Amino acid sequence: MIKKIPYSRQTISKDDISSVSKVLNSTFISRGPINEEFENRIRNYVKSKFCVTTNSATSSLFIACKALNLKKGDIVWTSANSFASSANCAVLCGAKIDFIDINLENYNISIEKLEQKLKLASKKGKLPKIIIPVHYAGFPCDMEKIFKLKKKYKFKIIEDASHAIGSSYKNFKVGSSKHSDLTVFSFQAVKVITTGEGGSITTNNKNFYEKIKLLRQHGITKDKKNFKIKKNSFYPWYYEQIDLSFNFILPDINAALGLSQLRKLNQNIKKREKLVKYYRQKLSKSKIKLLDFPKHIKSSHHLLPAMYNFKSLKDKANFFRFMSKNNIFLQVLYIPIYKHPFYKKMKFDEKNFVNTETFYKNAFSLPMHLQITKKDIDIICSKINNWIQ
Ligand SMILES: Cc1ncc(COP(=O)(O)O)c(C=O)c1O
């Protein structure tokens, strides 16, 4: 049988299965001690004071916005090159969304364009309340520069680090929230580590942490000090709903998978680094451009974005068809958010996103996961070279 090579895939080993089985055989399959242990391990790994897990990065982004008190009429900016969740979280809170163009060195938001946009917004009195930088593919944004702008223009920062657990920036692990208010990870099936579906929020701010914990579970508290009707704390069964939210809890079954995946994270990133190095070697003479990684950053290598000067989107689609006929499945990450019909109604001007447009025309994600072998890379690169010539 011919091997199919997907752009991404989870890797589940025996220790993952045994970790999940233990929870299945225990008293608590949800709301038990394993989820708390997972939270503690994440916060120790990234060196942040607090961590709250949730059932997806999407719900994490949503409650992160709520915890920062995002309301109707407020403004949020995020990267034009991201998954819809990075913008949906703001729109769901009633805020106005706008996008920042990317740079073509690492495909994260362009700091120059962000600065220009802030200057103009400041003049018009329309500054964003929150900016959501996205660490695309695992490559961290230039957080020191964004943090300086935060101080000047007084916005809050939620890092969308869905791709970036294990990445670091100037010796700070992404998730340390050293240059932000909150950081969100995704543990969806094909992410760097997985819980099936899942996410987390890390922060160093106790007030945000407490608000996020409340919002993870209906806005309900069991903590006496938060009760509004103090006299009722006499009743042993008593709890209170003091805010409005949904159930965003990550079950212990999933947290057990995350715990065992987290143990292997560093070692797995090393494997990904080797794959990137080999791809680079094999494509060094081709017209495909891969990312350069400066010394001050370390990527999780969740994705491996590649650029080629396609004639058009049709040309790129033909390349995809050729590769899939050869059992190699590439991906486009992402269709710029403003191109989706839901966002098109808001009438964004594509001229403001010149680099995002170039990226969308030329970029594709090469297969990158732990089941890729050097032999697979040989096949992938030889097919690419066949098509290009
Ligand atoms: C940049 C980014 N943000 C948010 C999400 C949403 O993550 P989840 O599927 O865990 O909700 C994704 C998922 O792919 C993503 O890539």
Side-chain angles (χ1 to χ4, degrees):
M1 212 174 76
I2 298 167
K3 185 180 174 186
K4 290 189 173 182
I5 310 177
Y7 92 97
S8 192
R9 171 171 290 170
Q10 75 279 7
T11 296
I12 303 295
S13 48
K14 277 189 189 150
D15 49 323
D16 293 323
I17 293 166
S18 119
S19 178
V20 174
S21 299
K22 260 193 217 151
V23 170
L24 286 171
N25 286 310
S26 74
T27 315
F28 295 103
I29 58 168
S30 190
R31 307 182 192 201
I34 296 299
N35 188 34
E36 233 175 276
E37 193 182 334
F38 185 40
E39 290 175 334
N40 286 333
R41 289 284 175 86
I42 296 169
R43 120 187 127 66
N44 286 338
Y45 181 82
V46 301
K47 297 200 167 49
S48 73
K49 283 197 185 138
F50 307 102
C51 175
V52 181
T53 58
T54 66
N55 53 8
S56 70
T58 302
S59 31
S60 284
L61 285 165
F62 176 63
I63 56 179
C65 287
K66 286 271 180 204
L68 297 181
N69 211 16
L70 189 68
K71 294 232 162 66
K72 191 163 188 254
D74 289 336
I75 299 169
V76 174
W77 295 355
T78 189
S79 173
N81 173 39
S82 188
F83 183 63
S85 298
S86 316
N88 291 350
C89 55
V91 180
L92 280 164
C93 291
K96 268 192 84 169
I97 190 78
D98 199 356
F99 300 101
I100 310 157
D101 198 11
I102 58 168
N103 69 70
L104 290 175
E105 280 81 60
N106 54 42
Y107 320 132
N108 286 327
I109 53 172
S110 153
I111 306 293
E112 288 71 35
K113 292 200 178 181
L114 170 63
E115 200 165 358
Q116 282 166 17
K117 203 172 161 75
L118 283 166
K119 258 187 207 158
L120 204 67
S122 174
K123 273 191 199 147
K124 289 186 184 164
K126 288 190 169 170
L127 281 168
K129 181 167 186 172
I130 302 176
I131 292 186
I132 307 180
V134 180
H135 304 305
Y136 178 73
F139 193 117
C141 295
D142 201 337
M143 290 310 298
E144 243 172 32
K145 288 191 182 152
I146 301 174
F147 189 66
K148 265 193 196 155
L149 293 170
K150 166 191 164 76
K151 280 194 177 156
K152 184 166 175 189
Y153 292 101
K154 313 272 180 251
F155 52 83
K156 296 269 192 288
I157 299 177
I158 302 170
E159 294 174 68
D160 184 342
S162 290
H163 301 178
I165 191 162
S167 301
S168 48
Y169 168 82
K170 298 198 172 172
N171 291 327
F172 294 105
K173 277 261 179 324
V174 170
S176 67
S177 299
K178 166 81 183 158
H179 303 102
S180 66
D181 297 281
L182 305 163
T183 306
V184 167
F185 290 132
S186 171
F187 309 130
Q188 178 265 338
V190 299
K191 292 297 190 297
V192 189
I193 68 169
T194 185
T195 56
E197 299 284 349
S200 72
I201 307 167
T202 52
T203 184
N204 298 307
N205 181 311
K206 192 156 186 258
N207 292 335
F208 295 155
Y209 166 68
E210 286 182 348
K211 187 88 196 274
I212 286 163
K213 275 195 87 164
L214 190 73
L215 293 170
R216 176 174 62 175
Q217 199 172 345
H218 316 281
I220 284 176
T221 183
K222 288 179 187 158
D223 189 341
K224 280 183 191 169
K225 78 171 188 310
N226 296 329
F227 289 168
K228 303 286 178 207
I229 311 168
K230 296 285 179 205
K231 67 175 187 327
N232 284 350
S233 59
F234 168 77
Y235 305 122
W237 60 83
Y238 193 66
Y239 62 87
E240 267 183 4
Q241 184 183 339
I242 57 171
D243 207 328
L244 181 65
S245 194
F246 298 97
N247 172 0
F248 295 119
I249 296 168
L250 181 76
D252 282 40
I253 303 169
N254 304 66
L257 178 56
L259 255 182
S260 112
Q261 292 254 313
L262 186 58
R263 277 188 210 110
K264 297 174 283 191
L265 175 60
N266 287 345
Q267 157 199 336
N268 288 343
I269 290 178
K270 282 202 182 102
K271 285 187 194 160
R272 286 174 184 264
E273 276 166 3
K274 280 188 188 152
L275 295 176
V276 173
K277 205 170 158 195
Y278 193 62
Y279 262 117
R280 191 180 290 287
Q281 214 176 302
K282 297 301 286 185
L283 291 171
S284 64
K285 290 194 184 83
S286 83
K287 289 178 186 152
I288 302 279
K289 184 185 161 229
L290 298 181
L291 276 174
D292 288 321
F293 298 96
K295 284 224 165 58
H296 70 279
I297 71 110
K298 194 172 154 210
S299 175
S300 63
H301 299 294
H302 165 52
L303 302 174
L304 182 54
M307 290 275 270
Y308 174 70
N309 195 8
F310 291 104
K311 289 188 204 92
S312 61
L313 281 176
K314 264 191 188 159
D315 188 30
K316 178 155 100 169
N318 287 336
F319 170 59
F320 269 52
R321 280 186 202 105
F322 167 80
M323 293 298 276
S324 61
K325 265 190 202 138
N326 286 287
N327 288 302
I328 299 159
F329 298 90
L330 307 170
Q331 185 59 283
V332 169
L333 299 160
Y334 290 93
I335 299 166
I337 303 180
Y338 55 80
K339 285 192 184 291
H340 290 291
F342 178 82
Y343 285 98
K344 256 187 170 332
K345 288 183 295 199
M346 299 178 195
K347 300 210 178 315
F348 294 100
D349 187 350
E350 291 188 357
K351 285 195 212 90
N352 293 330
F353 310 111
V354 183
N355 292 341
T356 309
E357 289 289 313
T358 304
F359 185 71
Y360 181 49
K361 179 173 84 66
N362 292 342
F364 59 94
S365 286
L366 284 162
M368 171 51 66
H369 52 89
L370 299 173
Q371 285 155 58
I372 297 277
T373 61
K374 281 189 168 179
K375 207 172 142 204
D376 294 333
I377 297 178
D378 288 341
I379 297 169
I380 296 164
C381 296
S382 92
K383 293 295 168 202
I384 289 177
N385 288 331
N386 284 350
W387 194 83
I388 283 175
Q389 273 139 36

